[in-house]
Amino acid sequence: DTMIPSANKPRFDIIKLDCEGAECFFLTRYKHFSTVKAVLVEWHTIPNRVIAEYILDREGFTCLRGRGEEGLHEGFSISYGCQIWMRT
């Protein structure tokens, strides 16, 4: 909000988020969800997934499809996934 005044921010029909962990930063600041018909979101932590789901559900979207992975990969803990949300 500090970089581009709200009045000048573009409005979108579809939003695709692949922000490498910054999904919630965008979702908590975007103010034009009323014009959005679909959101495709990739998340990288369980807390980000939970927050994204809360925000999108509150904004009137329904999750049509979701997929995620959790576990260990080469000794590192991983969690990531993607979801497709549509306006209900």
Side-chain angles (χ1 to χ4, degrees):
D1 282 338
T2 59
M3 293 173 48
I4 302 172
S6 289
N8 298 330
K9 285 191 178 175
R11 290 168 171 81
F12 303 102
D13 290 331
I14 299 172
I15 296 174
K16 179 184 181 289
L17 293 175
D18 184 358
C19 311
E20 304 306 318
E23 302 82 16
C24 294
F25 182 82
F26 174 85
L27 290 172
T28 57
R29 287 161 178 79
Y30 190 68
K31 305 295 185 209
H32 306 292
F33 280 110
S34 63
T35 65
V36 177
K37 297 175 182 140
V39 178
L40 292 75
V41 61
E42 180 180 310
W43 48 268
H44 293 277
T45 67
I46 298 301
N48 276 1
R49 177 186 58 83
V50 171
I51 293 167
E53 288 174 348
Y54 172 79
I55 292 168
L56 293 170
D57 182 64
R58 182 190 68 201
E59 293 292 335
F61 293 91
T62 299
C63 185
L64 299 181
R65 184 176 175 135
R67 181 178 60 83
E69 301 285 336
E70 295 180 48
L72 292 175
H73 178 69
E74 297 180 3
F76 293 97
S77 176
I78 59 166
S79 61
Y80 63 90
C82 56
Q83 297 174 323
I84 300 170
W85 292 77
M86 296 286 293
R87 170 94 37 212
T88 54

